[in-house]
């Protein structure tokens, strides 16, 4: 398998970074090809601007989707966006490793979605959900939280994690056409013992050993 | 009232920008004090890094919350973060104007939350939700969508908008202690007629005329 890991944590020794490193090492040892996009390490700019495009479709009014569509048709994405699109096209599985910040993606990772999930390649023109541009590929979230799991239960203070992740799993990943694997969640690693963290890495590596054959989970839009 | 408008759109002539301009003008004409933070225009950096802090609590390991707490106790935030904290402290009402990108905040606005809603000032040490640092202040979302309202109904393809916004309204605004006003939502302005857009701006201005006395809405965590 070709596996792309998209990582977003500013501290290389964080547990989220350890999950990234363990995934890359384990998947390579299994014979998979792995590319790692470490957004903080590469200084990825999360801001979607005209700098994403080598050509301009409408110089008078900047509508991001229009420019993305134009760049998709004319192969005129800026090199940093094109490199990410090449990695996406290459990947059969995309793993996102990050800390949950404010019940969502860190801005640097949200900006990767804003800039790389482009109209014309990833979605648009009838390509969405089951017909999305990422059809046939799989994606999964691997995340750490600040609070304990009990605060993310269905009657917890933060709300149910599955529902909180819906805007990512349904609204970004499935929208783009990915089959979504169950998230790998580590509750409050900052408060865990080193023994517990080591055990968690073992569970993570074991899951990765079988991931090639893991079935996607059902993801759905949020009801009212 | 002191009103802070935090705006996130890369095109000054977009409808989201028109909503921002209309709000600033209307509120000023009513005698309120208004400050506008135009994130794209000021080149706001959404990435939370060590550059947010003038001092270092732990040089060996970068834990954002620990550094935020230290900077809160030592008044050592970088000037760009401190300026935003000053505006937050000054504001009685905060209005966020933005396009909904991928069912969430544009990265530049998510990064404003990551960097400005700091542990020690905005939350933490027992300050959360009803006791959050923003207690007594009000906040509201004013947003534009790409798709029509029907796609955001409780059985719509995108999911129910209120549930989608929960990670922002409950997880960010209410978490920080704000009372949350009902969002002002404009469905698909890119496809609307100029007459409809003008009428929408009229409705928006009328709502702002009474906003000083508007009651907050109930926001809740997402159930399972």
């Amino acid at each position: 398998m070709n596996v792309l890991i998209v990582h977003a944590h500013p501290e290389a020794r964080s547990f989220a970074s350890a999950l990234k490193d363990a995934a890359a090492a384990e998947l390579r040892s299994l014979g998979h090809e792995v590319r790692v996009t470490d957004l903080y390490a590469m200084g990825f700019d999360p801001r979607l601007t005209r700098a994403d495009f080598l050509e301009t479709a409408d110089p008078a009014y900047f509508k991001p989707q229009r420019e993305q569509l134009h760049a998709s048709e004319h192969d005129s994405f800026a090199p940093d966006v094109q490199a990410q699109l090449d990695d996406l096209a290459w990947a059969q599985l995309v793993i996102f490793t990050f800390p949950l910040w404010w019940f969502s993606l860190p801005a640097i990772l949200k900006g990767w979605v804003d800039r790389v999930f482009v109209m014309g390649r990833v979605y648009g023109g009838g390509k969405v959900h089951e017909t999305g541009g990422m059809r046939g590929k799989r994606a999964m979230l691997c995340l750490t939280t600040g609070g304990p799991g009990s605060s993310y239960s269905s009657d917890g203070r933060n709300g149910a994690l599955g529902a909180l992740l819906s805007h990512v799993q349904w609204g970004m990943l499935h929208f783009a056409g990915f089959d979504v694997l169950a998230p790998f969640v580590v509750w409050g690693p900052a408060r865990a013992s080193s023994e517990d963290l080591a055990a968690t890495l073992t569970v993570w590596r074991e899951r990765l050993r079988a991931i090639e054959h893991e079935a996607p989970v059902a993801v759905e839009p949020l009801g009212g």
Side-chain angles (χ1 to χ4, degrees), chain A:
Chain A
M1 270 196 308
N2 293 340
V3 184
L4 174 64
I5 300 175
V6 182
H7 178 62
H9 199 292
E11 170 55 59
R13 301 195 302 147
S14 68
F15 195 67
S17 297
L19 290 162
K20 175 259 294 175
D21 292 335
E26 185 68 31
L27 290 164
R28 283 178 179 135
S29 80
L30 295 165
H32 301 303
E33 295 290 320
V34 178
R35 294 182 187 175
V36 177
T37 297
D38 186 334
L39 296 171
Y40 265 99
M42 69 198 282
F44 185 82
D45 191 332
R47 293 166 287 202
L48 170 50
T49 70
R50 280 200 185 274
D52 284 8
F53 312 103
L54 300 178
E55 298 178 3
T56 301
D58 184 347
Y61 187 97
F62 178 45
K63 183 167 170 51
Q65 290 179 317
R66 179 166 180 190
E67 299 298 331
Q68 289 178 342
L69 192 56
H70 179 91
S72 292
E73 290 165 350
H74 295 80
D75 263 328
S76 54
F77 286 103
D80 62 340
V81 175
Q82 186 59 51
Q84 300 301 316
L85 289 170
D86 291 344
D87 281 346
L88 263 188
W90 167 86
Q92 297 167 281
L93 168 65
V94 184
I95 299 175
F96 298 88
T97 54
F98 61 98
L100 195 68
W101 282 1
W102 294 101
F103 310 104
S104 191
L105 307 178
I108 201 169
L109 180 53
K110 176 54 166 51
W112 185 89
V113 174
D114 288 348
R115 296 183 62 203
V116 178
F117 277 18
V118 297
M119 175 172 259
R121 295 272 171 88
V122 172
Y123 75 102
K127 291 189 292 194
V128 66
H129 287 294
E130 291 77 5
T131 58
M134 299 296 104
R135 191 177 163 196
K137 301 175 187 291
R138 296 184 301 158
M140 82 178 290
L141 305 181
C142 170
L143 60 109
T144 60
T145 69
S150 56
S151 63
Y152 290 92
S153 65
S154 58
D155 58 354
R157 186 68 165 163
N158 294 334
L161 185 72
L164 283 166
L165 293 180
S166 179
H167 73 283
V168 181
Q169 297 202 133
W170 175 258
M172 302 178 200
L173 302 181
H174 197 272
F175 190 99
F178 284 104
D179 288 322
V180 179
L181 303 185
F184 188 82
V185 182
V186 182
W187 307 109
R191 289 170 202 157
S193 68
S194 55
E195 290 77 13
D196 282 350
L197 293 178
T200 297
L201 287 176
T202 299
V203 172
W204 175 227
R205 285 193 203 96
E206 283 172 358
R207 180 162 170 200
L208 292 168
R209 262 171 235 153
I211 204 160
E212 196 171 3
H213 307 290
E214 189 175 313
V217 292
V219 290
E220 296 177 337
L222 286 166

